[in-house]
Amino acid sequence: RLEKAEAAHSLHDFDALPLSLEKASKEETKALAHILKSFYTWMLQEGQTQKSADRYVKKLKVLLREHGLSMKAYTTREYTAFVRRCKENLKHNGIYGAAVRQLQMWFEARGSFEGPWEETAVSSDTLFDVQHSGSRHNPD
């Protein structure tokens, strides 16, 4: 278990983000809402509560907005280590790391980082809109 003293960086510290991580393509960026809705539906089907699935999606949206990486990059050891050791993850009892782990498990289960996606999000699905934070206070 990581201690708060071990946190060396913030989610917003781009100098700490591994340079080898691939940025999202335009196609991935356009598909983020569909990706998140497909991920969310999978979590519910796997037995996650709606509250947990909501929290994981909201934390992933912060990471997607902040880092803009490819889906494959979010599943790498380097990215997982970056998130696990960030101040925000430790402050919130590991929720960012848990969200990334759930995403990794979903990609392992579906066997692909590419569409077509299982679900289609519509504009009224603000939970899956990466630009919509879902709250009025700081998402961290």
Side-chain angles (χ1 to χ4, degrees):
R1 182 172 164 99
L2 292 172
E3 298 296 324
K4 290 186 183 202
E6 291 182 61
H9 59 269
S10 167
L11 283 176
H12 314 291
D13 184 358
F14 290 100
D15 291 336
L17 194 63
L19 295 175
S20 62
L21 297 176
E22 178 183 17
K23 291 292 188 184
S25 68
K26 288 181 183 180
E27 293 78 22
E28 276 184 318
T29 301
K30 287 180 184 177
L32 287 177
H34 309 310
I35 294 168
L36 287 174
K37 186 170 184 177
S38 298
F39 170 58
Y40 181 84
T41 301
W42 174 82
M43 285 191 290
L44 295 177
Q45 291 170 347
E46 291 294 307
Q48 287 290 338
T49 65
Q50 183 176 353
K51 181 179 178 182
S52 292
D54 285 354
R55 290 186 72 213
Y56 289 146
V57 166
K58 287 176 183 176
K59 295 307 178 188
L60 276 175
K61 283 171 45 173
V62 172
L63 301 175
L64 294 170
R65 252 192 327 268
E66 191 70 22
H67 301 138
L69 300 173
S70 71
M71 290 299 111
K72 188 173 183 177
Y74 290 109
T75 67
T76 63
R77 288 183 186 161
E78 295 85 2
Y79 189 76
T80 301
F82 170 82
V83 171
R84 284 189 65 235
R85 287 185 169 79
C86 75
K87 295 173 187 175
E88 294 84 356
N89 189 54
L90 298 174
K91 178 181 173 185
H92 295 285
N93 298 317
I95 188 67
Y96 286 95
V100 168
R101 181 65 189 130
Q102 284 293 312
L103 185 70
Q104 292 168 343
M105 289 169 41
W106 175 57
F107 280 124
E108 287 171 17
R110 78 184 297 271
S112 174
F113 296 106
E114 299 176 6
W117 305 104
E118 293 79 6
E119 302 290 331
T120 302
V122 295
S123 60
S124 60
D125 290 335
T126 58
L127 177 62
F128 311 116
D129 179 358
V130 175
Q131 299 311 316
H132 187 270
S133 67
S135 75
R136 293 184 179 183
H137 64 287
N138 186 340
D140 295 334

